[in-house]
Amino acid sequence: MSANLKDPAGSIRESEATATAGQPTVTLPPHPEFSRRLGDRHTLDSSALEEIDRMTNIAFGQLSGGVSPASLAMAYLDWMVHLGSSPGKQFQLAAKATRKAMRLSSYALTSAITGNAEPCIEPLRGDHRFDHPGWQRFPYNVIYQGFLLNQQWWHNATTDVRGISKHSQAAVSFTARQILDMTAPCNIPFLNPEIAEATINERGANLARGASNYREDFKRSLRNEPPAGVEAFRVGENLAITPGKVVYRNHLIELIQYSPSTDSVQREPVLMQSAWMMKYYILDLSPHNSLVKYLVAGGHTVYMVSWLNPGPEHRNLGMEDYRRHGTLAAIDVVAELQPGRKIHAAGYCLGGILLTITAAAMARDGDERLASVTLFTTMTDFTEVGEINVFMDASEVTLLEDMMWQKGYLDHKQVSGGFQVLKSADLIWSKMVREYYLGHREPMFDLMACNADGTRMPYRQHSELLRRLYVDNELFEGKYMVEGRAISISDIHCPIFAVAAAGDHVAPWHSVYKLHLQSDATELTFVLTSGGHNVGIVNEPGHAHRSFQLSVCHEGDRCIDPETWKQRTPTTEGSWWPVWQQWLTRHSSGSEAPPSMGAPDEGYEPLCDSPGTYVLMR
């Protein structure tokens, strides 16, 4: 299989690339030796001393599950010292505890005598752990009411303490909630009426199924295998089956051009890229929910960036490599395949951040090849990143860097595990109850299979991402450097279409909305859709219970705060996909006959059929 003849964006082409059982062998280009991380100390006398500190940090990280003990200890010290010096707060907490105990005692007595008592407290919105009718019977009702009152008290105890830093408060509150979620009565078999009822009715068959489920999951974990049911979903067979060709490959990406399905297409093609921590086919899942297929059927020429799954040998690939040999290389190829045509570029999550950086650098340098920019669940301001901020202080970042140093990359399981902890009540403990105590195996579906098929992130790139964006917020502050010069998002003047998800705990929609504060685009269309980080984007038409809010902000319009925007903006039932497809058409210059697949005369002969080889790398 020959490599392409041209090297866009200064990319070093492969000397050879072959695929053996889905595992391509790629010759890496010459690359500067960046052996030191961004946070390395330069004051120690030797690398041996630095190695001692690094290995000690790694040992602590392995014992603590990747959470910095130093960071957690400092947060708790901050909380305890300030709480200890706040007698008013202590008196308030003592009074609250007394009132809650009295209310619970009265509720328990009334419930025991009459069997009907008004609840002391209702579960928080979205908390469905106590929905089963059995929780309304004595004594289970007293148990869950006591837990909710205790949960509320701990929230009061860990918040609004005078003098405590925001980060310390968030860390202490988050840790307290994790402990409460783990020890909730719904997770304890003899305290959960649903488990007791199922065990009696099924004569323990539910526990037998649960034990079988646990054994299978434990074996798969030891063998580093994907979750049960993933084997039913196979890339290229029932996932990522939209027809296309790989028309370009370098050491970091494969570029897929999808075959047209209409007699004419819009002149301006659509270039899409996902986050490099996930496989691209989250945008090309099954035929019924493939965004790629939807756009192709709507008369668009679609290209897709498929990222390499990096290994230890790629440890020194950084953000600039991903920009130059990833996003910019793909733009260069599409521009050569369809000369004279501007490009609609779309990025998802981290792919959207990288697209924003690339678009800002292009705008700074007078490169006007982008017809529009679309950002899916993409933060450009990292001041408020939600509860993930608990893991973003200097101590935690240093610990992550040390743990990555050993392998040369961050494994996708560490990333997905961290995001699961952010919603542990639903994603960990409730799942444990369903599968191991009730014996109900959650059926696998395409989006879950895609989430389980993540990719690694190179050591240097992830370190730069954390320090330059999450910790130092260089992009928002106009300090992010590209080729020795700072870039600014306000330089991007082409139309922007930004999508946020109301239930997103990875990229909170309030933070995504802050693009309004940075953008100087001629037109900024903002969509807030129902669902979470993935479901909000995989949001095909015809799916029930989907809705969105949309507004358009033109250059010179006044910006309103996100809560006011949410209250004022009408809600539309259904999917936002048709709106985006129409938006792309409206910002195109008309239709023409579909372009050829690749351009052999220009050195872009199709290399293989989609989904390509990089997506198959494990």
Side-chain angles (χ1 to χ4, degrees):
M1 185 183 299
S2 60
N4 298 103
L5 300 179
K6 293 195 176 183
D7 303 312
S11 169
I12 308 297
R13 57 189 172 178
E14 310 165 68
S15 60
E16 184 178 354
T18 58
T20 304
Q23 302 292 330
T25 300
V26 179
T27 301
L28 288 174
H31 195 286
E33 290 298 325
F34 296 115
S35 60
R36 301 181 66 87
R37 59 189 177 183
L38 293 180
D40 263 339
R41 295 177 298 276
H42 296 271
T43 57
L44 298 187
D45 295 332
S46 69
S47 59
L49 295 176
E50 289 186 353
E51 189 69 16
I52 292 173
D53 285 1
R54 184 180 294 116
M55 297 307 296
T56 303
N57 219 17
I58 292 171
F60 281 135
Q62 291 173 339
L63 290 174
S64 63
V67 177
S68 170
S71 177
L72 199 57
M74 292 298 293
Y76 266 85
L77 181 62
D78 190 4
W79 172 68
M80 287 189 295
V81 168
H82 285 93
L83 181 60
S85 60
S86 303
K89 178 72 171 181
Q90 295 175 38
F91 179 82
Q92 182 188 58
L93 291 174
K96 284 179 177 289
T98 302
R99 288 197 301 269
K100 291 179 188 299
M102 293 175 62
R103 286 168 59 194
L104 183 63
S105 299
S106 175
Y107 174 80
L109 182 61
T110 304
S111 180
I113 295 174
T114 67
N116 185 20
E118 188 70 23
C120 307
I121 185 174
E122 295 293 335
L124 295 172
R125 183 180 179 183
D127 185 354
H128 301 289
R129 291 175 292 180
F130 306 104
D131 287 353
H132 189 271
W135 287 108
Q136 306 308 317
R137 299 195 304 266
F138 185 84
Y140 297 110
N141 57 348
V142 179
I143 293 172
Y144 100 87
Q145 284 285 292
F147 170 77
L148 293 179
L149 289 170
N150 187 43
Q151 179 179 256
Q152 186 183 63
W153 186 89
W154 273 105
H155 173 75
N156 293 327
T158 56
T159 57
D160 298 327
V161 178
R162 292 172 62 87
I164 189 174
S165 71
K166 280 187 177 182
H167 180 268
S168 294
Q169 176 174 291
V172 172
S173 181
F174 175 82
T175 305
R177 190 169 66 257
Q178 295 304 310
I179 296 172
L180 287 167
D181 287 343
M182 180 176 62
T183 58
C186 53
N187 301 335
I188 304 173
F190 59 85
L191 296 181
N192 188 325
E194 186 177 6
I195 298 174
E197 182 180 306
T199 303
I200 293 172
N201 292 340
E202 299 185 39
R203 298 181 179 180
N206 58 307
L207 297 179
R209 293 195 306 271
S212 176
N213 291 340
Y214 178 78
R215 283 195 302 270
E216 181 178 9
D217 291 346
F218 185 69
K219 289 180 181 178
R220 286 176 176 267
S221 177
L222 291 178
R223 297 169 182 169
N224 199 27
E225 295 177 349
V230 168
E231 55 274 5
F233 297 91
R234 295 174 296 277
V235 176
E237 296 183 28
N238 54 5
L239 296 176
I241 60 173
T242 304
K245 301 284 187 182
V246 174
V247 295
Y248 173 75
R249 179 188 293 120
N250 65 16
H251 65 282
L252 193 56
I253 67 167
E254 289 183 330
L255 183 66
I256 300 171
Q257 179 183 359
Y258 290 97
S259 304
S261 62
T262 55
D263 293 335
S264 62
V265 296
Q266 295 299 314
R267 289 192 180 97
E268 286 73 21
V270 179
L271 171 63
M272 307 178 76
Q273 65 178 25
S274 68
W276 52 87
M277 62 180 288
M278 63 175 70
K279 300 292 180 68
Y280 83 84
Y281 65 89
I282 192 169
L283 299 172
D284 184 26
L285 284 169
S286 306
H288 72 279
N289 61 359
S290 167
L291 181 54
V292 169
K293 184 176 184 296
Y294 182 81
L295 290 177
V296 171
H300 297 274
T301 300
V302 179
Y303 296 85
M304 177 68 73
V305 172
S306 176
W307 299 100
L308 173 84
N309 192 5
E313 67 275 18
H314 303 100
R315 63 184 300 122
N316 286 326
L317 291 177
M319 288 290 291
E320 179 62 11
D321 294 289
Y322 274 73
R323 183 195 72 86
R324 191 167 181 231
H325 303 306
T327 306
L328 190 58
I331 291 172
D332 289 343
V333 173
V334 174
E336 291 199 43
L337 292 176
Q338 297 188 230
R341 303 287 184 260
K342 290 191 174 184
I343 301 166
H344 296 296
Y348 184 6
C349 187
L350 294 179
I353 296 173
L354 189 62
L355 173 59
T356 303
I357 292 171
T358 305
M362 292 173 66
R364 179 200 64 187
D365 298 336
D367 188 337
E368 299 180 349
R369 288 179 293 173
L370 296 183
S372 71
V373 171
T374 298
L375 305 174
F376 300 146
T377 60
T378 298
M379 288 188 298
T380 52
D381 173 29
F382 298 84
T383 306
E384 298 175 348
V385 295
E387 289 190 327
I388 196 174
N389 188 51
V390 173
F391 304 105
M392 291 303 162
D393 67 337
S395 178
E396 181 64 36
V397 170
T398 300
L399 181 69
L400 288 174
E401 287 176 332
D402 285 337
M403 295 184 72
M404 286 189 294
W405 180 265
Q406 277 188 314
K407 296 181 178 179
Y409 58 80
L410 182 72
D411 192 87
H412 80 92
K413 290 185 178 180
Q414 291 177 264
V415 179
S416 60
F419 287 136
Q420 285 182 335
V421 168
L422 297 179
K423 297 185 69 175
S424 62
D426 294 331
L427 301 180
I428 297 178
W429 306 116
S430 293
K431 184 176 184 291
M432 177 194 71
V433 170
R434 287 194 307 272
E435 298 199 352
Y436 300 154
Y437 293 143
L438 297 177
H440 301 320
R441 174 69 85 180
E442 187 172 339
M444 183 64 63
F445 56 93
D446 51 8
L447 185 54
M448 285 179 62
C450 182
N451 287 336
D453 187 22
T455 61
R456 297 173 287 271
M457 291 195 282
Y459 165 84
R460 182 177 181 82
Q461 177 272 317
H462 191 240
S463 175
E464 292 177 344
L465 175 72
L466 292 179
R467 290 191 177 274
R468 300 182 66 182
L469 297 178
Y470 278 89
V471 176
D472 296 334
N473 203 15
E474 291 182 2
L475 183 59
F476 179 78
E477 296 180 0
K479 299 177 181 178
Y480 193 95
M481 306 292 286
V482 174
E483 296 180 346
R485 297 168 57 202
I487 60 171
S488 174
I489 294 174
S490 62
D491 287 339
I492 304 174
H493 296 300
C494 63
I496 297 176
F497 192 98
V499 182
D504 194 342
H505 66 289
V506 178
W509 80 267
H510 288 81
S511 292
V512 177
Y513 183 85
K514 287 186 178 181
L515 180 63
H516 286 82
L517 303 179
Q518 303 165 288
S519 171
D520 197 23
T522 55
E523 174 188 315
L524 172 57
T525 302
F526 183 79
V527 173
L528 178 62
T529 180
S530 58
H533 189 70
N534 292 332
V535 173
I537 303 304
V538 184
N539 201 307
E540 71 278 7
H543 198 291
H545 312 300
R546 300 289 172 85
S547 61
F548 65 92
Q549 296 171 272
L550 180 147
S551 68
V552 180
C553 181
H554 294 92
E555 190 174 8
D557 289 351
R558 295 178 179 176
C559 179
I560 59 177
D561 66 274
E563 288 302 330
T564 302
W565 177 90
K566 196 174 190 308
Q567 293 173 5
R568 293 181 180 178
T569 307
T571 299
T572 303
E573 297 299 320
S575 168
W576 56 268
W577 284 13
V579 176
W580 184 48
Q581 190 273 326
Q582 294 163 12
W583 184 88
L584 289 172
T585 301
R586 189 168 65 253
H587 289 88
S588 298
S589 59
S591 59
E592 62 183 5
S596 61
M597 298 296 291
D601 293 341
E602 299 295 327
Y604 295 107
E605 184 174 354
L607 302 174
C608 63
D609 292 332
S610 62
T613 58
Y614 282 3
V615 73
L616 302 177
M617 297 176 69
R618 300 293 182 184

